[in-house]
Amino acid sequence: SLQDKNALHLYSVNGKYLVSETLKEEVSDMCVTSEYIVMGSLQGFLSIRDLYSLSLSISPLAMRLPIHCISVTKEYSHILVGLEDGKLIIVGVGKPAEV
């Protein structure tokens, strides 16, 4: 974060710069899976980005409260989101029939 500008930078394992993406929100927590980056912001948005291009996979989901922590289940079937007021939101991942 530099003067209200937030960015996400991606580097290879060897340290080569690959890509960056400017963010509108201030990231409070993130979880990296094999293909995605799941991020929560202090503005209350849950974002899922492609790990290799950093582009949004879906539109950010509004949680209406600051997100304090994020976790993805071992089977990648659900995202657990802890909010500022102590609530735990469980978001199903996949097609509606699968969730």
Side-chain angles (χ1 to χ4, degrees), residues 27-38:
V27 176
S28 56
D29 195 19
M30 73 170 52
C31 187
V32 179
T33 67
S34 59
E35 297 180 28
Y36 298 99
I37 300 172
V38 183

Side-chain angles (χ1 to χ4, degrees), residues 28-65:
S28 56
D29 195 19
M30 73 170 52
C31 187
V32 179
T33 67
S34 59
E35 297 180 28
Y36 298 99
I37 300 172
V38 183
M39 299 186 313
S41 71
L42 292 178
Q43 289 73 25
F45 289 100
L46 177 68
S47 304
I48 301 172
R49 294 181 174 271
D50 180 79
L51 181 60
Y52 303 104
S53 67
L54 299 183
S55 61
L56 283 171
S57 296
I58 61 166
S59 299
L61 302 171
M63 297 289 151
R64 300 185 183 168
L65 289 171

Side-chain angles (χ1 to χ4, degrees), residues 2-34:
L2 179 64
Q3 295 179 332
D4 297 328
K5 292 185 179 182
N6 300 296
L8 187 62
H9 302 283
L10 180 65
Y11 291 86
S12 71
V13 194
N14 299 327
K16 181 182 174 189
Y17 172 79
L18 298 174
V19 68
S20 66
E21 186 72 32
T22 303
L23 304 175
K24 296 177 183 174
E25 300 94 23
E26 186 176 346
V27 176
S28 56
D29 195 19
M30 73 170 52
C31 187
V32 179
T33 67
S34 59

Side-chain angles (χ1 to χ4, degrees), residues 78-95:
H78 294 83
I79 300 171
L80 309 174
V81 182
L83 301 179
E84 182 180 53
D85 64 353
K87 290 181 182 170
L88 176 67
I89 306 295
I90 301 172
V91 179
V93 178
K95 298 175 184 171

